[in-house]
């Protein structure tokens, strides 16, 4: 195998607390518990009293955070009953109705979002948003004296739109046809008066512009003007930093709508924005912000852990772009999933905005360093020659670790270097600081930042993996700098954070890329053979295929380097036995193939490798393995693996045959 595809961040599914929502089944026992609140609350939506309608919507918002209650609401046509209230004569009802649908979409997950779109939630939502587009001219006489504002309603509506477009391509299509981009631009332009609304609109715009060719074709100069105006703002608050970062992401998504000259200028501007975001030291700023908040209040809600349960939870929803894996479980829902922190928690809002800006910046850089498809040269490298039997023409959009990273364009490479992006990514890979972690762990209302800090580190590790192959050694502080990073990544590998699969995938991918570069440049590596085997044993037991593949590749890279040194036969035999065992026993053919590919690398050449191979009877073991691997590939291949995976696996099959012949020739000497 020996190939890695750059990870690209796509919009993942989401849930109220930042973990992927478990899809809610809409079929169930028709004789549902009569005490279910769904029927009563939905009936109250028809009340002539605005207060009762508001109460019903607010109650639904709370109840649906318990995901097991969602089927009861869906079975009673909740979306069609709540939807018309988006246009209610009461602003409070409009806002709580939008909040109820927003929570339903967030807690229900992608399947519920799709169902909401099918039930026509976007028709009243689009009508409401078209009114928002006329915000300055909107006739507010009928709303005089009401405690809510049109912008409060708009914020909930935009967040609902964001949720739906994040999970439903149909929603994105409706967005395009309804011309709702103008609404988002209008909300973006409200940033001097209403930053909450502007940030919600920026998040939504960042989502809907991604891979949206229809939208790009219809984007005009006014759109770029609004985004560039935000980029040029000089406000220093963290919320403005987040706003500029999201605008930069939208500009990157829309770049094909610009001329070549404009693209170059815009690329420089958005890279400047990303660099500024990453240059901020959250490890220092978060404690400073906490102390500032503490100095301004009695801080009664920031006492150390151990007080009443209600003080242990901050009613905050983590950012949707969480990059988590679909096999992770949803944690216990919180009491409220609003993105909006209380308005008097300015310092905590700033800290959250800073971490969101840095996470988003790293995700944008990852995508800047990615291409969706391999080049012709890469395809030829991946494919076997005339002997290939099962390689298909089609390409899959799977994250299969089967491609070499594409090189950055010379211009982008230079711009990233000029803005010190590689060095900033390296610093974020060492994040978070112990002081910030300790503080946020100690005070309940700041605990919501812990996951965000670790997420920034995960994104930095993924980013590091993507840029390593595109950067020269000196841009990463030379051989000593690479060794220092390798030592740091190795220490992370043996940390308790290994229990987190997202982190494990990120750190093993980065370490794999780094060790490959070090091996290519003959830079001494960092892990001892004993550490290497402990790491491999732990990583190869991970359920994630990508982590197992990375661990095997690291074994192959290290073993290949050791084969060039003296007195390493015993270590090579240890590595070879581990790889052979996995190649025989792992249930996934991609992992088996990676183990074989690593074996080829380790035992390809050298006296020490030849000695180790004879001691472990490598030739006879591979001969015994060969028929089973071929049979498994024929039996399971096409039904279980993607075309690009099959192409590489077929190449492994051919290389196995050639490697056996090579070992036979060695034995005859």
């Amino acid at each position: 195998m020996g190939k890695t595809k750059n990870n690209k961040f796509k919009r993942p599914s989401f849930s109220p607390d930042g973990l992927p929502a478990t899809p809610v089944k809409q079929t169930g026992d028709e004789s549902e518990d009569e005490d279910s609140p769904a029927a009563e609350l939905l009936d109250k939506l028809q009340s002539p009293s605005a207060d009762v309608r508001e109460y019903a919507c607010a109650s639904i918002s709370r109840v649906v955070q318990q995901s097991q209650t969602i089927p009861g609401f869906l079975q009673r046509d909740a979306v069609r009953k709540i939807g018309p209230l988006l246009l209610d004569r009461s602003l409070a009802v409009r806002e709580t109705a939008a909040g109820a649908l927003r929570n339903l979409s967030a807690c229900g997950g992608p399947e519920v979002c799709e169902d909401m779109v099918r039930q026509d939630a976007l028709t009243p939502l689009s009508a409401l948003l078209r009114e928002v587009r006329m915000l300055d001219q909107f006739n507010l006489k009928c709303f005089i004296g009401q405690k809510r504002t049109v912008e409060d309603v708009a914020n909930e509506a935009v967040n609902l739109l964001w949720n739906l477009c994040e999970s439903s391509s149909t929603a994105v299509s409706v967005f395009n046809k309804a011309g709702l981009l103008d609404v988002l631009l209008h909300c973006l332009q409200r940033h001097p008066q209403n930053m909450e609304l502007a940030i919600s609109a920026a998040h939504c715009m960042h989502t809907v512009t991604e891979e949206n060719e229809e939208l790009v074709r219809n984007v005009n100069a006014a759109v770029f003007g609004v985004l560039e105006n935000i980029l040029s703002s000089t406000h220093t608050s963290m919320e403005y930093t987040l706003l500029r970062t999201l605008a930069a992401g939208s500009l990157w998504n829309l770049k094909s709508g610009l001329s070549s000259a404009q693209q170059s200028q815009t690329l420089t501007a958005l890279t400047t924005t990303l660099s500024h975001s990453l240059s901020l030291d959250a490890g220092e700023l978060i404690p400073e912000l906490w102390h500032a908040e503490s100095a301004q209040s009695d801080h009664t809600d920031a006492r150390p852990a151990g007080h009443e349960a209600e003080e242990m939870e901050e009613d905050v929803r983590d950012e949707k772009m969480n990059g988590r894996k679909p096999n992770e479980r949803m944690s216990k829902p919180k009491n409220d999933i609003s993105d909006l922190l209380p308005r008097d928690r300015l310092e905590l809002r700033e800290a959250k905005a800073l971490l969101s800006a840095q996470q988003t910046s790293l995700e944008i850089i990852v995508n800047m360093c990615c291409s969706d498809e391999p080049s012709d040269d890469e395809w030829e490298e991946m494919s076997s020659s005339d002997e290939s039997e099962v390689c298909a023409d089609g390409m899959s959009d799977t994250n299969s670790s089967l491609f070499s990273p594409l090189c950055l364009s010379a211009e982008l490479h230079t711009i990233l270097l000029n803005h010190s992006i590689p060095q900033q990514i390296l610093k974020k890979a060492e994040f978070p600081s112990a002081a910030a972690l300790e503080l946020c762990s100690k005070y309940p209302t700041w605990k919501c930042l812990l996951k965000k800090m670790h997420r920034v580190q995960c994104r930095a590790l993924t980013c590091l993996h993507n840029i390593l192959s595109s950067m020269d050694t000196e841009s990463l502080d030379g051989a000593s700098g690479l060794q220092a990073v390798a030592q740091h990544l190795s220490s992370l590998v043996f940390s308790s954070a290994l229990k987190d699969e997202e982190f494990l995938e990120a750190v093993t991918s980065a370490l794999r890329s780094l060790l490959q570069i070090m091996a290519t440049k003959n830079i001494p590596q960092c892990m001892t053979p004993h550490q290497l085997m402990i790491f491999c044993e732990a990583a190869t037991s991970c359920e994630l295929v990508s982590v197992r593949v990375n661990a095997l590749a690291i074994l192959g890279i290290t073993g290949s380097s050791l084969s060039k040194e003296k007195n390493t036969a015993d270590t090579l035999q240890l590595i070879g036995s581990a790889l052979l065992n996995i190649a025989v026993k792992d249930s996934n053919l991609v992992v088996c193939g990676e183990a074989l590919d690593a074996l080829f690398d380790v035992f390809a050449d050298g006296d020490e490798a030849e000695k180790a191979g004879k001691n472990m009877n490598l030739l006879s073991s591979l001969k015994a393995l060969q028929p089973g691997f071929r049979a498994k590939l024929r039996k399971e291949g096409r039904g279980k693996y993607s075309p690009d995976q099959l192409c590489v696996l077929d190449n492994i099959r051919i290389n196995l045959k050639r490697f056996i012949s090579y070992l036979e020739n060695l034995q005859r000497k």
Side-chain angles (χ1 to χ4, degrees):
M1 300 260 215
K3 305 293 182 183
T4 60
K5 183 180 181 181
N6 287 18
N7 294 324
K8 181 172 182 178
F9 283 98
K10 294 184 179 293
R11 302 292 158 207
S13 59
F14 51 86
S15 77
D17 54 1
L19 297 177
T22 304
V24 176
K25 296 180 180 179
Q26 297 184 39
T27 58
D29 188 355
E30 294 299 328
S31 59
E32 188 180 354
D33 187 351
E34 293 182 359
D35 293 333
S36 169
E40 180 183 356
L41 290 175
L42 291 173
D43 285 343
K44 282 181 167 48
L45 296 177
Q46 309 303 320
S47 171
S49 168
D51 288 341
V52 173
R53 297 195 301 275
E54 179 187 357
Y55 165 80
C57 289
S59 299
I60 291 170
S61 294
R62 290 190 296 272
V63 171
V64 296
Q65 290 172 52
Q66 303 297 323
S67 60
Q68 68 270 19
T69 68
I70 292 178
F73 283 95
L74 296 178
Q75 290 162 10
R76 291 173 171 82
D77 215 16
V79 176
R80 295 187 189 278
K81 292 177 180 178
I82 300 173
L85 298 184
L86 294 174
L87 301 172
D88 195 272
R89 60 183 178 274
S90 165
L91 284 179
V93 174
R94 290 187 181 202
E95 183 181 11
T96 52
L101 292 175
R102 175 186 176 184
N103 287 9
L104 185 64
S105 66
C107 297
E111 289 187 4
V112 169
C113 287
E114 288 283 5
D115 188 63
M116 292 174 71
V117 173
R118 284 193 295 269
Q119 293 189 41
D120 208 24
L122 282 166
T123 295
L125 179 59
S126 297
L128 172 59
L129 290 168
R130 279 193 289 271
E131 289 187 0
V132 170
R133 183 166 43 191
M134 305 292 221
L135 221 102
D136 294 330
Q137 298 81 32
F138 190 55
N139 183 358
L140 300 180
K141 290 181 180 179
C142 60
F143 297 132
I144 291 175
Q146 297 193 25
K147 60 183 178 179
R148 302 301 204 281
T149 69
V150 173
E151 289 189 346
D152 291 331
V153 179
N155 190 67
E156 287 295 330
V158 169
N159 274 279
L160 172 58
L161 179 66
W162 175 22
N163 288 359
L164 297 178
C165 289
E166 217 172 24
S167 291
S168 169
S169 58
T170 304
V172 175
S173 179
V174 172
F175 175 93
N176 293 341
K177 293 175 181 176
L180 296 180
L181 181 61
D182 287 347
V183 176
L184 297 185
L185 291 174
H186 189 94
C187 294
L188 278 172
Q189 291 174 300
R190 302 291 296 177
H191 62 84
Q193 297 83 26
N194 192 329
M195 179 57 73
E196 292 173 354
L197 177 59
I199 288 177
S200 296
H203 273 299
C204 188
M205 188 167 185
H206 190 207
T207 293
V208 298
T209 55
E210 185 171 5
E211 299 180 355
N212 190 341
E213 295 181 5
E214 180 182 352
L215 186 66
V216 173
R217 288 194 297 267
N218 296 311
V219 167
N220 54 35
V223 176
F224 291 110
V226 171
L227 294 173
E228 289 165 358
N229 180 59
I230 291 174
L231 247 59
S232 64
S233 65
T234 57
H235 298 276
T236 58
S237 75
M238 297 302 103
E239 289 192 325
Y240 262 102
T241 299
L242 174 58
L243 184 66
R244 285 191 292 265
T245 301
L246 291 166
S250 295
L251 277 171
W252 174 258
N253 293 339
L254 296 171
K255 63 186 180 300
S256 60
L258 294 166
S259 66
S260 298
Q262 289 173 313
Q263 283 189 17
S264 178
Q265 183 179 2
T266 299
L267 182 59
T268 300
L270 71 88
T271 307
T272 301
T273 297
L274 302 179
S275 177
H276 170 72
S277 171
L278 294 177
S279 69
L280 298 170
D281 189 344
E284 290 184 3
L285 288 171
I286 287 175
E288 289 177 6
L289 288 165
W290 182 88
H291 285 297
E293 181 184 80
S294 181
Q296 294 176 22
S297 68
D298 294 334
H299 221 67
T300 55
D301 57 346
R303 286 175 286 174
H307 289 269
E308 288 82 357
E310 59 268 27
E311 293 180 328
M312 299 290 289
E313 294 287 349
E314 181 63 34
D315 295 333
V316 180
R317 175 186 168 190
D318 284 338
E319 294 299 325
K320 300 182 185 87
M321 295 181 295
N322 55 71
R324 308 294 286 187
K325 303 300 161 190
N327 59 339
E328 290 180 333
R329 295 181 181 179
M330 188 172 177
S331 66
K332 183 179 179 180
K334 301 188 184 298
N335 295 327
D336 187 345
I337 61 170
S338 174
D339 272 323
L340 306 179
L341 290 165
R343 288 186 170 92
D344 60 345
R345 304 303 300 272
L346 297 178
E347 290 78 13
L348 183 53
R349 291 170 62 90
E350 286 282 277
K352 180 186 175 188
L354 169 60
L355 294 175
S356 295
Q358 294 188 337
Q359 176 188 330
T360 303
S361 295
L362 291 164
E363 291 172 352
I364 294 168
I365 294 169
V366 166
N367 290 351
M368 291 168 71
C369 298
C370 276
S371 175
D372 292 327
E373 294 183 355
S375 65
D376 291 340
D377 290 341
E378 285 185 296
W379 176 254
E380 291 173 3
E381 290 173 7
M382 288 191 304
S383 304
S384 54
S385 56
D386 296 336
E387 299 178 73
S388 178
E389 293 178 356
V390 298
C391 183
D393 293 332
M395 298 304 298
S396 171
D397 191 30
T398 57
N399 184 18
S400 54
S401 298
L402 296 176
F403 296 133
S404 297
L406 296 179
C407 293
L408 299 177
S409 69
E411 181 181 19
L412 180 54
H413 181 280
T414 301
I415 291 174
L416 292 178
L417 288 180
N418 289 343
H419 288 82
S420 302
I421 295 292
Q423 290 79 9
Q424 291 169 352
I425 293 171
L426 290 176
K427 289 180 181 178
K428 294 306 171 200
E430 299 175 2
F431 185 80
S433 71
L437 283 174
E438 181 181 3
L439 185 148
C440 293
S441 298
K442 187 177 181 181
Y443 294 98
T445 54
W446 286 65
K447 276 190 174 181
C448 61
L449 301 183
L450 290 173
K451 288 182 180 180
K452 288 183 171 297
M453 287 191 280
H454 284 297
R455 195 166 295 138
V456 168
Q457 183 185 35
C458 284
R459 296 298 187 269
L461 291 168
T462 301
C463 210
L464 181 62
H465 162 67
N466 277 30
I467 69 166
L468 277 170
S469 62
S470 304
M471 297 295 174
D472 56 70
T473 305
E474 294 310 312
S475 69
L476 296 167
D477 298 330
S480 60
L482 290 177
Q483 286 178 320
V485 176
Q487 290 173 353
H488 174 65
L489 294 181
S490 298
S491 68
L492 292 178
V493 163
F494 294 102
S495 72
S496 59
L498 270 175
K499 297 175 183 177
D500 183 275
E501 289 185 342
E502 179 191 10
F503 178 85
L504 185 53
E505 180 174 22
V507 72
T508 55
S509 294
L511 185 59
R512 172 182 179 174
S513 296
L514 184 60
L515 292 180
Q516 183 63 63
I517 289 175
M518 293 173 69
T520 302
K521 299 182 179 298
N522 295 318
I523 299 173
Q525 299 185 5
C526 54
M527 278 198 284
T528 66
H530 178 67
Q531 287 178 320
L532 188 68
M533 297 310 298
I534 293 175
F535 156 67
C536 187
E537 183 178 353
T540 51
S541 64
C542 178
E543 291 184 5
L544 280 182
V545 169
S546 57
V547 172
R548 304 208 298 275
V549 166
N550 286 336
L552 295 170
I554 289 170
L555 272 182
I557 293 165
T558 305
S560 178
S561 297
L562 289 173
S563 68
K564 300 177 178 63
E565 301 175 10
K566 294 182 179 180
N567 302 318
T568 58
D570 290 343
T571 303
L572 293 177
Q573 185 175 340
L574 191 66
I575 292 174
S577 297
L579 292 171
L580 194 60
N581 183 58
I582 293 167
V584 172
K585 295 183 178 180
D586 200 286
S587 61
N588 189 287
L589 270 176
V590 171
V591 177
C592 295
E594 188 67 49
L596 289 171
D597 194 64
L599 272 170
F600 304 155
D601 290 339
V602 173
F603 294 95
D605 192 25
D607 294 338
E608 295 295 319
E610 184 177 348
K611 179 180 177 182
K614 289 180 180 178
N615 290 342
M616 61 181 289
N617 298 315
L618 181 60
L619 176 58
S620 59
S621 297
L622 290 178
K623 282 184 175 180
L625 174 152
Q626 186 181 28
F629 181 78
R630 293 178 63 179
K632 195 172 182 180
L633 181 58
R634 284 195 302 268
K635 182 179 179 181
E636 300 180 8
R638 292 191 182 277
K640 196 172 179 181
Y641 301 96
S642 63
D644 47 295
Q645 289 174 323
L646 287 176
C647 190
V648 178
L649 286 168
D650 192 53
N651 199 26
I652 296 293
R653 176 189 63 79
I654 294 166
N655 286 341
L656 175 59
K657 177 181 177 181
R658 293 170 177 170
F659 192 70
I660 288 173
S661 297
Y662 162 74
L663 293 178
E664 287 174 338
N665 291 334
L666 281 181
Q667 198 174 61
R668 294 190 192 101
K669 291 182 180 178

